[in-house]
Amino acid sequence: MNYTFFLLLLTLVHSTFSSLAPTDQAALESIRDSLTDMPGSAFFSTWDFTTPDPCSTFAGLTCTSLGRVSALSLGPNLSGSLSPSISNLTHLTQLVLYPGLVTGPLPPRFDTLPLLRVISLTRNRLTGPIPNSFSSLSYLHTLDLSYNQLSGSLPPFLTTLPRLKVLVLASNRFSDNVKPVSSPLLHLDLKTNQISGQLPPLFPTTLRYLSLAGNSISGAIIPLEPLTDLTYIDLSMNRFTGAIPQSLFGSTTTSMFLQRNNFTSINATSLSMLPQGSVVDLSHNSISGELPPSLAGAESLFLNNNRFTGEIPEEYIKSLVNGTTKTLFLQHNYLTRFPWSSGTQLPDSVSLCLSYNCMDTDPVVGLSTCPIEVAPLLSRPAIQCSRFYNHSSTG
């Protein structure tokens, strides 16, 4: 009698603390049926549903003490599609799909997963829009759907989720414009989509990382002026116009990529010195005026293919000589003088290009490290410089 009771007790303990809840097991079976290991992958080799304790033996599975799935990480190197049964894992806090060839839409019902904090479904071939059910994910901290084939307008509810800190939708096919952002985001990456229109009026001042590169966004970037704590900003390859706010050149900015737009000026009345090791690329714009001395602190500085005028500041020379600046590209502007003292030596690590400006340049100094695509002429034709400066003085 006592022995039988002991065995029964053991069975109850095992069932309470080890067994997977039936609803979750059924969901996992459906998920397993919809996905396949690609050649060379053995992710599902541990998914044996006859085992008494899937929670401790299934790869990518974490459970609560009551046998409910709390975290599910699938892959890498899977194909197939994502089963709608994922929505039955109602205690899920983390859902991860590693790179593979998974196709089809996102599961439609995320409103049944109120505890989700992390969704990362990257580098697959998922298609279609983001379901409206994402709007109910009030505890969501991180959403990464990058490098898929998702499409449709950017949903307005995504950027209003109250606890969202990281939003990465890069390299998809999202269209329309950037929606107003009220979520307390630290990281926003929308690069390489089909986004157009102008920026919304406000962004959260909490942002540290912002990438909108490779879209068709136009207009001024005045809404970004309050973002004084950015460390990384990439607006390259868009259609932005107007002035670059001086607040973006802050003491925390280590990476700034604004190349290939239509910017025309830098508001540079009192720029802070850039942090050591920073990279600034303002190339291929229409920026005019004199070179701001404070940009000399950058380790890599690309100001080529603009409309800069006047002398190159002494600060740039000092920064090159002392090794602070290792790359300085100033080609294809209208600069008139490079204040170089004879006998001064540049460190071997320095890359400097001055070609196609309105000055005579020492070919050893000005062209030795120019990119291959730079025109072989050392200076602009005199007639171009004369016309440019005459037009500027009468404009």
Side-chain angles (χ1 to χ4, degrees), residues 25 46-58:
Q25 175 153 336
T46 62
W47 282 42
D48 178 2
F49 287 96
T50 64
T51 185
D53 186 12
C55 288
S56 63
T57 59
F58 279 27

Side-chain angles (χ1 to χ4, degrees), residues 209-227:
Y209 182 109
L210 175 63
S211 179
L212 304 174
N215 285 287
S216 299
I217 310 172
S218 59
I221 61 171
I222 294 173
L224 305 183
E225 195 165 0
L227 305 184

Side-chain angles (χ1 to χ4, degrees), residues 103-122:
T103 61
L106 295 170
R109 295 292 306 275
F110 278 83
D111 52 317
T112 60
L113 307 174
L115 304 179
L116 267 177
R117 298 190 73 250
V118 176
I119 302 175
S120 178
L121 314 173
T122 66

Side-chain angles (χ1 to χ4, degrees), residues 223-382:
L224 305 183
E225 195 165 0
L227 305 184
T228 56
D229 291 329
L230 282 173
T231 61
Y232 183 101
I233 179 170
D234 188 351
L235 308 180
S236 62
M237 294 179 286
N238 277 284
R239 300 174 183 174
F240 291 115
T241 57
I244 302 172
Q246 69 178 29
S247 59
L248 296 185
F249 299 91
S251 58
T252 62
T253 307
T254 58
S255 300
M256 175 183 287
F257 302 101
L258 307 186
Q259 69 269 26
R260 297 186 184 277
N261 281 283
N262 296 307
F263 292 114
T264 53
S265 63
I266 302 173
N267 287 341
T269 53
S270 58
L271 290 184
S272 304
M273 293 299 293
L274 294 170
Q276 190 170 358
S278 56
V279 178
V280 176
D281 192 341
L282 309 182
S283 65
H284 296 275
N285 279 286
S286 298
I287 304 172
S288 59
E290 297 186 345
L291 296 173
S294 54
L295 294 185
E299 180 174 303
S300 297
L301 182 58
F302 303 92
L303 303 177
N304 51 288
N305 296 81
N306 278 288
R307 300 167 68 86
F308 285 112
T309 56
E311 297 187 3
I312 298 170
E314 291 279 356
E315 287 86 349
Y316 286 57
I317 313 302
K318 294 176 182 177
S319 191
L320 287 169
V321 172
N322 66 26
T324 300
T325 297
K326 300 187 185 304
T327 302
L328 177 60
F329 281 7
L330 299 175
Q331 69 270 19
H332 282 261
N333 280 288
Y334 294 86
L335 301 167
T336 56
R337 182 171 176 266
F338 183 65
W340 184 257
S341 302
S342 60
T344 303
Q345 296 293 320
L346 289 178
D348 292 338
S349 59
V350 165
S351 296
L352 170 65
C353 187
L354 303 173
S355 71
Y356 221 67
N357 277 285
C358 297
M359 59 182 171
D360 293 327
T361 57
D362 180 340
V364 175
V365 170
L367 274 179
S368 58
T369 53
C370 285
I372 296 174
E373 65 271 16
V374 171
L377 294 176
L378 296 186
S379 300
R380 281 186 181 274

